[in-house]
Amino acid sequence: MLRIAVVGSGPSGVYTAQSLLEQSAVAQVHVDVLDRLPCPYGLVRYGVAPDHEKIKSLQNNLRTVLEDGRIRFLGHVEVGPGGVPPELLLRLYHAVVYCVGAKSDRHLGIPGEDLPGSFSATEFVSWYSAHPDSDPNSFVLGARSAVVIGAGNVAVDVARMLARGADELRPTDVPQSALGALAVSRVREVHMAARRGPSQARFTTKELRELGALPGADVTVDAAELARDPDFVDPSALPGAVRRNVEVLRGWVGRGQRPGVRQLHLRFYLRPVELVERDGRVGAVRFERTVPDGAGGVLGTGTYEDIEAQLVLRAVGYRGVPPQGLPFDPATGTVPHAAGRVLREGAPSPGEYVAGWIKRGPTGVIGTNRPCAKETVTSLLQDAPRLAEHPVAAEPLDALRELGLHPVTWQGWLAIERAEAELGQSLGRRSVKIPDWDGLLAAALDPR
């Protein structure tokens, strides 16, 4: 039997496990999917917005993989400091595939970025997604105006969540604490600002159109800002997806505003240069106006504009962090590899592999993880005859428990699901996520 550990149960980890079963010519392959959280699915559970139920339904596909008898889910297993040393994993398994994603956020690197009221978009997403590392009370939305910095789908997600009413989110699995905070939110103005033009924005047309369909918010665009983009004036040469974005924005020019609803302002050619302090916290964002440089970038104009904001969310990308015990390239935020084989001093390290964002960087959509995982698994299975030669533990779970760990098995995860369904029922809602470690681990122990 070939025993393989996959570290991470998000899409890249689950697709890696699935590919191992589909591609393997070895009669018996057993895969343990390890995750530091007691819940599987990674960013599908803790990163997809709660109102995107179609994308969240991908959990059903991931569930089918994890319920295969040759795959075992072991949650609440930390790999690294305070948990399982990577070198021990190599003694317990013939191979280890790290699918640990990109855990850090990129920073703006401007004065005032650390002021109270300034957060990464990931912190906000974790809050409304009930990630157990997030403080349920971290976002008391007393702000009147919010600024979201970025022009990708994450920026659109957080702007949309700020502009939605609590009644619209009640049917979702958003945690009760976040729902309560959003119900009393005073945010009436949401500004989403990008340093470049509409033809360089990274959001998808579907996400963009959703902003225009919000029942409790109106979208406004600045015609003069849009017109600075030559491709906005004449979008005929743009790729189809970008052209559709531009067409949506063009349709919003001159759109009327309803009284009494939130205003969602999409701004372009604004580069943040400072978060301005007022009364000990962020009070405004200072932007420098930019213009196209003719090569896809922008140039500063020396003209500035302050936008009032008591809440600032930066959505400018993710970055990998060094996994303990593995080589790491700080320039790319990835582990050096050759077709998924971890490289140490330029040579493949026996038994160590990577897939997903820690392999290629935070790029692509969920489906991009499939070919990425397949490439890594192809390399691993080419190495399988040599990997199978070294002895491993008869039962890695025993060794994990000897370390003092208490892994949450698939049955434990099903108990968490059951507890979340019961919580939702008690609140007159559908399934509602449990937002804290103690609650999740207590639910996992329910023997029913």
Side-chain angles (χ1 to χ4, degrees):
M1 175 183 288
L2 194 66
R3 286 194 175 275
I4 301 167
V6 173
V7 182
S9 67
S12 64
V14 175
Y15 291 151
T16 296
Q18 182 180 36
S19 190
L20 280 164
L21 301 187
E22 291 175 346
Q23 294 189 60
S24 176
V26 180
Q28 292 189 347
V29 174
H30 187 94
V31 183
D32 281 350
V33 178
L34 314 179
D35 202 297
R36 78 177 193 88
L37 296 173
C39 310
Y41 311 137
L43 284 180
V44 177
R45 175 176 167 91
Y46 288 117
V48 174
D51 58 345
H52 275 179
E53 294 192 10
K54 185 174 181 180
I55 302 175
K56 291 178 74 66
S57 68
L58 177 63
Q59 291 185 16
N60 296 328
N61 302 81
L62 303 181
R63 171 192 293 272
T64 299
V65 176
L66 292 175
E67 287 182 334
D68 188 291
R70 296 165 291 176
I71 295 175
R72 178 170 58 181
F73 172 72
L74 297 176
H76 196 214
V77 175
E78 178 85 46
V79 176
V84 187
E87 59 272 18
L88 175 60
L89 281 183
L90 284 176
R91 296 199 297 270
L92 300 180
Y93 297 92
H94 294 102
V96 182
V97 187
Y98 291 89
C99 306
V100 293
K103 298 180 180 179
S104 180
D105 294 276
R106 293 186 181 276
H107 290 262
L108 298 170
I110 60 175
E113 187 170 6
D114 296 327
L115 282 170
S118 169
F119 302 89
S120 72
T122 300
E123 291 175 289
F124 189 58
V125 170
S126 294
W127 173 74
Y128 67 61
S129 297
H131 195 292
D133 288 343
S134 177
D135 179 357
N137 301 311
S138 57
F139 287 93
V140 179
L141 301 177
R144 300 178 304 277
S145 178
V147 167
V148 179
I149 299 172
N153 281 345
V154 174
V156 173
D157 276 351
V158 297
R160 189 182 68 255
M161 289 293 292
L162 285 169
R164 275 206 185 280
D167 287 342
E168 299 169 55
L169 294 170
R170 194 175 305 279
T172 73
D173 63 0
V174 67
Q176 192 70 9
S177 55
L179 186 67
L182 291 167
V184 298
S185 169
R186 296 173 56 204
V187 174
R188 308 310 298 170
E189 304 271 342
V190 180
H191 305 261
M192 194 174 86
R195 63 185 178 88
R196 297 193 294 176
S199 66
Q200 287 90 40
R202 299 294 184 89
F203 42 64
T204 58
T205 307
K206 177 182 179 296
E207 296 265 358
L208 185 62
R209 284 176 175 152
E210 287 179 334
L211 295 180
L214 293 173
D218 284 337
V219 177
T220 68
V221 293
D222 187 320
E225 288 178 352
L226 298 175
R228 292 194 187 102
D229 188 339
D231 289 320
F232 182 85
V233 176
D234 179 11
S236 59
L238 291 172
V242 181
R243 187 173 63 252
R244 287 189 289 274
N245 284 346
V246 168
E247 289 169 351
V248 171
L249 292 168
R250 288 165 71 97
W252 289 342
V253 173
R255 191 180 188 186
Q257 298 180 29
R258 295 168 292 167
V261 302
R262 290 184 175 93
Q263 300 300 312
L264 179 52
H265 307 281
L266 270 59
R267 305 291 306 275
F268 296 93
Y269 292 113
L270 292 176
R271 177 166 57 199
V273 295
E274 182 183 358
L275 302 192
V276 181
E277 181 269 334
R278 291 176 185 165
D279 299 323
R281 58 178 295 115
V282 65
V285 183
R286 181 159 296 155
F287 290 95
E288 181 182 17
R289 290 188 173 275
T290 61
V291 293
D293 64 2
V298 292
L299 298 171
T301 63
T303 303
Y304 298 89
E305 175 183 350
D306 286 4
I307 298 179
E308 177 190 348
Q310 297 80 37
L311 173 64
V312 177
L313 302 174
R314 66 174 188 273
V316 292
Y318 299 95
R319 185 170 182 79
V321 298
Q324 185 193 35
L326 292 181
F328 187 73
D329 182 353
T332 62
T334 61
V335 170
H337 71 93
R341 295 180 178 94
V342 172
L343 297 178
R344 293 183 181 273
E345 300 181 354
S349 176
E352 294 184 309
Y353 302 85
V354 285
W357 279 1
I358 200 62
K359 170 187 174 186
R360 67 179 192 274
T363 61
V365 295
I366 290 175
T368 311
N369 290 295
R370 283 189 180 275
C372 175
K374 184 176 180 179
E375 179 190 56
T376 295
V377 168
T378 298
S379 296
L380 188 156
L381 293 177
Q382 288 172 352
D383 302 339
R386 185 177 73 254
L387 296 173
E389 292 175 357
H390 81 270
V392 297
E395 176 47 89
L397 183 54
D398 292 340
L400 297 178
R401 286 172 172 156
E402 287 175 6
L403 288 175
L405 302 178
H406 302 281
V408 172
T409 65
W410 189 252
Q411 291 304 311
W413 158 241
L414 294 180
I416 291 172
E417 278 194 319
R418 185 169 59 246
E420 291 184 337
E422 292 171 352
L423 174 61
Q425 185 176 26
S426 71
L427 296 169
R429 299 173 57 196
R430 292 161 58 184
S431 180
V432 173
K433 287 180 182 173
I434 297 171
D436 61 284
W437 278 100
D438 289 345
L440 289 169
L441 294 177
L445 295 175
D446 189 330
R448 288 180 294 164

